[in-house]
Amino acid sequence: MDVLIVGAGAMGRWFGEVVGDKGRVAFVDREEEVARETADAVGGRTISERTTERFGIVCLAVPIPAVERAIALYAPLADRAIADVSGVMRAPVAAMETHAPEREHVSLHPLFSPENAPGNVPIVAGEGPAAEWIRERLRGAGNALVETTPEEHDVAMETIQTKAHAAVLAYALAADDVPDGFETPVSRELDGLVETVTDGNSRVYADIQSTFPGAETVAEAAIEIAEADRESFEALYREAGE
């Protein structure tokens, strides 16, 4: 099946490698050199942003703030299905219903960076041939599909992304330098998490923080712990363990 991927960054390349057939996947990106490099890497080709060529599947692999507009622009090029790997689901699924009502809709969110693939992939999709074709390719690459709804997914992201990232970054900002040899299993794990989170793209993390609420509850919990007396702290400790 011919596939067009809008956005030739890490997620676009991942989708092309896993779902696209060599010679039948095309990329379009505002940065033409990035599109060429990605297309060469996966055995695909590049096309112009002004193309009118049609494809079986059109996949949007663009940043969260751009996904709704990209769906509106590129939905007319999809013959069978339109998909996205933006990381949010309610907004793109609604945009697909508006701009491609007669096509299959597939929203995916790989819960890993491409270099850590395969892994869990939440998916919202119907029971059409294109959706099943995508499912088969994802499973064939070793991924575990998590069938979900847009609402369930986006609420979950408030905890596993926004709150988790806020907690790790807050620790990094609050931590002081300590002499070598002063570490515990807990601090060692936290330092590793800081390295993982900060070895990414700040824009991507900012998009997540802007899209999904939850960071303020982490701050509120930290204040509650800091201000607790001994009895209250022990109660909070037990609550956290539950």
Side-chain angles (χ1 to χ4, degrees):
M1 190 178 301
D2 293 323
V3 178
L4 171 63
I5 301 174
V6 182
M11 278 294 103
R13 177 169 175 168
W14 171 83
F15 189 83
E17 290 174 337
V18 173
V19 175
D21 288 323
K22 195 169 184 178
R24 300 191 68 181
V25 58
F27 292 88
V28 59
D29 195 288
R30 288 184 176 181
E31 297 185 32
E32 294 181 5
E33 182 59 30
V34 172
R36 282 193 295 271
E37 290 176 358
T38 299
D40 290 344
V42 303
R45 61 189 175 93
T46 63
I47 63 170
S48 166
E49 288 185 278
R50 296 180 296 277
T51 187
T52 58
E53 185 178 352
R54 298 180 68 84
F55 297 82
I57 297 172
V58 173
C59 177
L60 293 308
V62 299
I64 290 173
V67 66
E68 291 175 82
R69 181 172 184 272
I71 289 170
L73 288 173
Y74 287 96
L77 304 185
D79 279 334
R80 294 191 181 185
I82 185 161
D84 87 287
V85 290
S86 64
V88 65
M89 288 191 173
R90 275 182 286 209
V93 168
M96 292 175 196
E97 291 171 351
T98 297
H99 299 288
E102 303 302 321
R103 304 292 181 261
E104 294 179 50
H105 306 151
V106 182
S107 189
L108 307 167
H109 185 188
L111 298 180
F112 48 83
S113 56
E115 59 269 22
N116 293 320
N120 288 353
V121 182
I123 181 171
V124 171
E127 297 299 327
E132 289 308 308
W133 189 78
I134 291 173
R135 284 188 177 96
E136 289 175 7
R137 294 300 177 96
L138 291 169
R139 292 193 186 102
N143 297 287
L145 302 188
V146 181
E147 301 286 344
T148 186
T149 66
E151 293 74 20
E152 182 182 58
H153 169 272
D154 287 6
V155 169
M157 292 309 104
E158 296 176 17
T159 290
I160 70 168
Q161 287 198 315
T162 295
K163 294 177 185 178
H165 299 163
V168 171
L169 292 172
Y171 166 76
L173 295 170
D176 295 321
D177 290 332
V178 298
D180 290 342
F182 286 86
E183 61 180 18
T184 68
V186 172
S187 69
R188 189 184 304 118
E189 290 291 333
L190 282 169
D191 289 340
L193 291 172
V194 170
E195 185 175 345
T196 297
V197 171
T198 57
D199 187 33
N201 186 316
S202 61
R203 176 189 55 76
V204 173
Y205 283 87
D207 287 345
I208 291 169
Q209 291 291 319
S210 299
T211 302
F212 304 110
E216 68 282 356
T217 61
V218 175
E220 292 166 1
I223 292 171
E224 187 175 8
I225 291 169
E227 295 180 347
D229 58 23
R230 183 182 181 87
E231 182 179 349
S232 298
F233 179 90
E234 290 185 3
L236 291 169
Y237 181 91
R238 289 192 296 269
E239 181 182 345
E242 294 170 358

